[in-house]
Amino acid sequence: GVRGGKYEIVRRLGRGGMAEVFLGKQRGLAGFEKRVVIKRILPHLAVQPRFVQMFTQEARLAARVVDAHIVQVLDFIRDQDELFLVMEYVAGTDLHALIRGATRRREQLPVDVCVRVIADVCAALHAAHSFVDDDGRPDPIIHRDVSPHNVLVGADGRAKLTDFGIAKASDSAKLTATGVLRGKLMYM
């Protein structure tokens, strides 16, 4: 369990350069149970202030924008010496896996699926780019890593943008040096 048993890790879903992602369960009173995704900063990075700051910024920025097309952040916790980001679970797969599967079968994704995914990602980006703070001031959040790995497609066909790990907002700490690119060059 994580955080005194409130969250339980079920199994690992994947691992990236900065974090591991797990399928988890949130537990509550009277048998309450909800599937969640638990993202944990990798242990060797959890001791480096720069990476802790990036992970904290991801939690803070992703939690700001509440939109049906963005994976929602539910909690950000420290359990002993580990940091965890708890997020909405999307039953489905990422766009990269859908494309890879279609390619293996020598098929193309149906046009209606492609159009739906594009529209949903555009809606997510619009929500982030047009974010307004609590005082009514525009404070756009720029994702900076839109790629098929970061687009989740639910079983219902709706797409949601995830992974605000390198996102930028006007009030963000300066984590990118001038002249340094962030994200995947192939998708810029």
Side-chain angles (χ1 to χ4, degrees):
V2 176
R3 195 178 189 192
K6 180 176 181 180
Y7 301 105
E8 176 186 333
I9 291 174
V10 176
R11 65 180 165 87
R12 188 162 86 172
L13 297 173
R15 180 184 170 127
M18 189 171 156
E20 292 179 289
V21 179
F22 301 91
L23 174 63
K25 290 182 184 178
Q26 178 182 358
R27 298 191 183 275
L29 297 174
F32 173 85
E33 191 173 279
K34 180 179 180 124
R35 283 183 168 188
V36 295
V37 169
I38 301 170
K39 184 174 184 178
R40 177 183 73 155
I41 189 170
L42 295 174
H44 70 281
L45 298 178
V47 296
Q48 298 182 33
R50 180 173 172 269
F51 287 99
V52 170
Q53 184 182 15
M54 287 174 62
F55 197 66
T56 302
Q57 177 175 299
E58 174 182 1
R60 195 174 53 79
L61 291 180
R64 284 184 185 179
V65 184
V66 178
D67 186 82
H69 303 98
I70 295 175
V71 173
Q72 296 303 289
V73 171
L74 306 173
D75 208 349
F76 182 56
I77 58 172
R78 178 182 300 276
D79 189 48
Q80 297 173 14
D81 291 332
E82 295 184 303
L83 291 174
F84 297 91
L85 184 57
V86 181
M87 300 175 290
E88 164 189 13
Y89 171 72
V90 177
T93 190
D94 66 56
L95 183 57
H96 175 74
L98 284 179
I99 293 168
R100 192 177 63 232
T103 302
R104 264 196 235 122
R105 293 186 306 274
R106 296 191 170 122
E107 298 173 351
Q108 292 183 344
L109 291 176
V111 172
D112 60 329
V113 171
C114 295
V115 169
R116 177 60 188 253
V117 168
I118 291 167
D120 289 350
V121 171
C122 286
L125 291 172
H126 175 72
H129 294 174
S130 60
F131 178 74
V132 176
D133 70 16
D134 291 339
D135 295 324
R137 290 186 302 259
D139 190 15
I141 297 170
I142 311 303
H143 188 278
R144 302 195 309 176
D145 196 16
V146 178
S147 67
H149 287 95
N150 292 335
V151 176
L152 302 180
V153 181
D156 62 359
R158 295 174 189 257
K160 292 186 175 230
L161 186 60
T162 191
D163 197 350
F164 280 72
I166 61 172
K168 186 84 173 144
S170 62
D171 67 345
S172 298
K174 185 173 180 175
L175 298 175
T176 304
T178 302
V180 174
L181 292 176
R182 296 296 231 151
K184 298 172 188 81
L185 186 60
M186 186 173 172
Y187 298 103
M188 288 183 178

